[in-house]
Amino acid sequence: MNVLDVFDQLDALELLYEPIYSADEHVLIGYEVIGFLLGGNSYKIKDFIYDETATADLRLELQHFFVEEALKASLEQLKDVSLFLPCNPNLLMADFGESYFNLLKKHLDESLMSQIYLVIPEHKVKGDFEQLQHPIRYIKTYGVKIALDDIGSKSKLDQILMLEPAVLKINVNQLNYNNWGAQSHVFTTIQSLAVKIGATLMFNNIQTDYQLHLAWKNGARYFKGNYLQNPVKEFISRYTLKEKFRSECQHFISAEKKQLVLKFEEMKNLQKKISTIIEEVKPSSNNVESLLQLSKRIEGYAFRFYICNEEGFQTSPNILYKDGEWNVQNNAIGKNWSWRPYFLFNIIKMRNDEKGQLSAVYSDIETGELTRTYSMAINNKEFVFVDITYDYLYEHNIVN
């Protein structure tokens, strides 16, 4: 079937609404509109809108017909819920968004524009991406929001920043894959970006309670998928799943609190063990024997340590565990580490709090392995930095 065939069967078009639920209120906050052609096979209208074997004019006409039908069918409900509508960005650029925007203005008061989200797959944009900024910016001045679809490893951060989306949509299945799992750099970057630009994470395709928990744990505010609710033909009560959703979230909270308590205890134990050893050994930058003595005592925890002054200049060699033995690397003396984020802040903090600091998880520049660094003052002007092995972090469940 092609786009022309679709126009011959528009009377068989069925609109379905996929409910979207929120983690904060546990209520239904909106719907993503899906269009099907009914018959021997069910064809998604969205697939035809992106079928580039058809002319742009035909696909634009089909998209607008679908959007208009959705607006007419849901107009009475838009005061209470939001509507997520498909928007092919390449078709939007064809007329600088004029026809799409006129369609919205035709059916919506300006007060309802803020209930509309244009669902745009950012990685499918062709041509000059900056050209897309102009129609998007204009439409957004009326309150319309952008939901970027299929966010993942193909996404480009600069393009996301250009469009300033309100929602980033992620397929929950991606959290299960090693190449883009919850601990990967891509995902954590997307999480950080969402926080910085004030965007909400939405996880799609939730099929199980495990996936719901995974999405919740990884910062989702919005959820949708068959586990919560199948797509519906008519709008349903916003409170349909409130009690069930609230109950599940309480289970998640309880389980997460238990894990965090254990994690906190493990981190506290690690810091206490290392700080006790350091206080007993009293390592000194110019005393290699004291450094090697320290290495023997922390062999089960660390793979490297060194001492810096308050300006970030390294005053000791690196003491590195490699190939079953500790090595002294004198060439590291004199290097400056103040360029690292939070380095100087942590120095000031250690000096004032008189406590050691355990860093967040990061990838070591030389080994590429995940690590945490424990740092503490050894006198008024020097600080020791101990890099913890991945094996220890993993065994004690403090990797992330």
Side-chain angles (χ1 to χ4, degrees):
M1 179 179 283
N2 56 39
V3 175
L4 281 173
D5 296 327
V6 175
F7 280 101
D8 291 333
Q9 300 182 44
L10 288 179
D11 56 344
L13 172 65
E14 180 177 54
L15 295 179
L16 293 178
Y17 304 92
E18 187 171 14
I20 300 166
Y21 293 89
S22 75
D24 44 11
E25 296 183 78
H26 305 125
V27 297
L28 190 156
I29 58 92
Y31 297 87
E32 183 158 354
V33 187
I34 309 167
F36 289 95
L37 276 185
L38 302 180
N41 296 302
S42 289
Y43 295 96
K44 282 187 179 180
I45 296 297
K46 183 178 176 181
D47 293 339
F48 293 107
I49 291 172
Y50 285 90
D51 179 9
E52 295 191 355
T53 61
T55 65
D57 287 343
L58 277 175
R59 289 183 290 127
L60 191 63
E61 186 179 347
L62 178 60
Q63 176 176 262
H64 289 357
F65 177 83
F66 172 41
V67 168
E68 186 163 28
E69 291 298 301
L71 289 171
K72 288 190 293 188
S74 57
L75 191 57
E76 296 299 317
Q77 309 290 337
L78 284 181
K79 292 178 182 177
D80 300 316
V81 294
S82 297
L83 207 61
F84 287 67
L85 298 169
C87 180
N88 183 327
N90 302 307
L91 297 179
L92 193 72
M93 285 190 286
D95 63 355
F96 300 100
E98 185 177 351
S99 57
Y100 202 116
F101 181 57
N102 286 337
L103 193 58
L104 296 178
K105 284 201 300 183
K106 176 182 174 183
H107 293 279
L108 301 175
D109 292 334
E110 195 167 319
S111 62
L112 293 178
M113 288 286 192
S114 61
Q115 299 294 84
I116 300 299
Y117 288 78
L118 303 188
V119 180
I120 296 175
E122 159 263 335
H123 63 277
K124 288 189 177 180
V125 176
K126 298 188 175 179
D128 185 357
F129 194 90
E130 290 189 13
Q131 295 260 334
L132 181 61
Q133 268 190 297
H134 305 300
I136 291 293
R137 229 176 236 177
Y138 178 68
I139 292 174
K140 283 173 66 178
T141 61
Y142 285 81
V144 176
K145 301 179 181 71
I146 303 301
L148 290 187
D149 204 4
D150 296 328
I151 295 296
S153 55
K154 294 181 181 178
S155 298
K156 297 178 180 177
L157 300 187
D158 58 336
Q159 295 184 170
I160 294 175
L161 286 168
M162 275 187 207
L163 296 187
E164 299 178 330
V167 172
L168 300 177
K169 292 178 60 188
I170 300 168
N171 190 324
V172 75
N173 288 328
Q174 295 194 74
L175 293 182
N176 297 326
Y177 295 145
N178 291 329
N179 65 333
W180 204 63
Q183 296 175 19
S184 81
H185 305 306
V186 175
F187 182 72
T188 51
T189 300
I190 294 295
Q191 280 181 311
S192 299
L193 180 64
V195 172
K196 287 183 183 297
I197 66 176
T200 290
L201 294 182
M202 180 199 294
F203 282 83
N204 300 326
N205 200 33
I206 293 174
Q207 306 292 327
T208 65
D209 60 344
Y210 168 74
Q211 290 179 328
L212 180 62
H213 188 180
L214 203 58
W216 175 86
K217 184 176 180 178
N218 284 285
R221 183 185 180 191
Y222 295 156
F223 310 80
K224 68 184 181 73
N226 293 342
Y227 176 73
L228 294 168
Q229 183 79 52
N230 289 321
V232 293
K233 292 183 180 180
E234 296 181 354
F235 287 9
I236 58 179
S237 168
R238 295 185 65 213
Y239 306 98
T240 302
L241 292 183
K242 187 174 178 69
E243 292 308 314
K244 178 187 175 184
F245 202 173
R246 186 182 183 87
S247 175
E248 296 217 22
C249 280
Q250 285 176 328
H251 287 306
F252 299 160
I253 292 167
S254 177
E256 193 66 17
K257 283 172 67 178
K258 288 178 182 176
Q259 287 187 9
L260 288 173
V261 167
L262 292 173
K263 179 178 176 179
F264 179 77
E265 289 299 324
E266 287 288 357
M267 291 168 66
K268 192 164 68 171
N269 288 338
L270 173 64
Q271 294 180 80
K272 185 177 180 180
K273 288 174 183 176
I274 295 178
S275 63
T276 299
I277 292 170
I278 290 172
E279 288 169 356
E280 291 174 353
V281 173
K282 295 181 173 57
S284 171
S285 292
N286 53 16
N287 185 340
V288 175
E289 285 304 315
S290 70
L291 299 177
L292 291 175
Q293 185 183 350
L294 177 60
S295 70
K296 293 174 184 177
R297 298 281 301 276
I298 62 172
E299 188 167 310
Y301 313 106
F303 68 92
R304 179 176 54 216
F305 67 91
Y306 51 93
I307 296 172
C308 289
N309 66 18
E310 60 187 343
E311 294 180 335
F313 286 98
Q314 191 164 330
T315 56
S316 80
N318 276 348
I319 309 298
L320 176 72
Y321 189 77
K322 188 176 182 181
D323 299 327
E325 61 182 3
W326 289 95
N327 299 276
V328 178
Q329 297 180 319
N330 287 303
N331 62 348
I333 297 174
K335 288 185 177 180
N336 185 269
W337 303 107
S338 62
W339 57 269
R340 284 180 166 171
Y342 309 112
F343 184 95
L344 294 177
F345 176 80
N346 285 336
I347 293 288
I348 301 300
K349 193 173 180 183
M350 282 188 285
R351 180 192 291 163
N352 284 276
D353 293 350
E354 297 182 353
K355 293 180 180 178
Q357 304 286 327
L358 188 63
S359 76
V361 175
Y362 66 95
S363 290
D364 181 67
I365 293 174
E366 293 183 12
T367 66
E369 287 197 346
L370 296 177
T371 185
R372 289 179 185 266
T373 296
Y374 178 71
S375 51
M376 65 176 282
I378 53 176
N379 55 51
N380 290 333
K381 294 186 176 181
E382 289 191 313
F383 305 82
V384 62
F385 295 83
V386 180
D387 296 332
I388 312 302
T389 67
Y390 175 80
D391 287 344
Y392 183 92
L393 297 177
Y394 180 79
E395 288 168 10
H396 293 81
N397 198 28
I398 51 176
V399 176
N400 52 36

